[in-house]
Amino acid sequence: VQLQASGGGLVQPGGSLRLSCVASGDIFSVSFMGWYRQAPGKQRELVAIVRGGDDTDIADSVKGRFTISSDNAQKTVYLQMNSLKPEDTAVYYCNQGIIRRYGGYPVSYWGQGTLVTVSS
């Protein structure tokens, strides 16, 4: 199983970016999909997570600005980031709970990380 994240880049404060993460490989289903971020010198933190396609949690620091969505059939999770601030600068990692067979338990897989830089 591999997760491929994309969509990061340099954006000015107030701008928008959309991150995508697609899972590939031997996958029966996906239990949860989420995004984490890690800024320089800080611990990795949860940004947003979606379970079962419609049960979502969003970090307070990005609530009202970021939206998580998913396409379970395509095994893809998105993070729409609006009104970006310099403090949103970080490496963003996608995380998916992959079930490899019927009746199996989800195993956590991580993408390679995509850098988001918010700067003028």
Side-chain angles (χ1 to χ4, degrees), residues 8-60:
L10 173 64
V11 63
Q12 292 187 342
S16 298
L17 283 175
R18 189 190 195 209
L19 306 183
S20 301
C21 174
V22 58
S24 61
D26 185 16
I27 300 171
F28 176 76
S29 65
V30 182
S31 174
F32 60 85
M33 301 181 184
W35 289 94
Y36 290 72
R37 68 185 182 185
Q38 187 166 19
K42 294 188 176 181
Q43 290 188 331
R44 190 175 298 189
E45 63 176 358
L46 175 67
V47 177
I49 188 168
V50 55
R51 307 174 190 88
D54 57 2
D55 178 20
T56 62
D57 282 319
I58 306 287
D60 288 342

Side-chain angles (χ1 to χ4, degrees), residues 1-110:
V1 174
Q2 289 187 327
L3 270 59
Q4 182 68 44
S6 61
L10 173 64
V11 63
Q12 292 187 342
S16 298
L17 283 175
R18 189 190 195 209
L19 306 183
S20 301
C21 174
V22 58
S24 61
D26 185 16
I27 300 171
F28 176 76
S29 65
V30 182
S31 174
F32 60 85
M33 301 181 184
W35 289 94
Y36 290 72
R37 68 185 182 185
Q38 187 166 19
K42 294 188 176 181
Q43 290 188 331
R44 190 175 298 189
E45 63 176 358
L46 175 67
V47 177
I49 188 168
V50 55
R51 307 174 190 88
D54 57 2
D55 178 20
T56 62
D57 282 319
I58 306 287
D60 288 342
S61 59
V62 305
K63 199 167 291 184
R65 301 187 296 121
F66 291 11
T67 303
I68 188 170
S69 61
S70 64
D71 182 338
N72 277 29
Q74 298 299 321
K75 301 176 183 61
T76 302
V77 60
Y78 304 96
L79 185 69
Q80 178 65 44
M81 305 185 294
N82 299 328
S83 302
L84 282 160
K85 304 176 181 180
E87 51 262 44
D88 295 318
T89 296
V91 177
Y92 285 70
Y93 297 90
C94 62
N95 175 238
Q96 295 195 23
I98 304 293
I99 299 172
R100 302 284 302 271
R101 59 176 176 84
Y102 177 79
Y105 292 95
V107 175
S108 181
Y109 287 86
W110 293 87

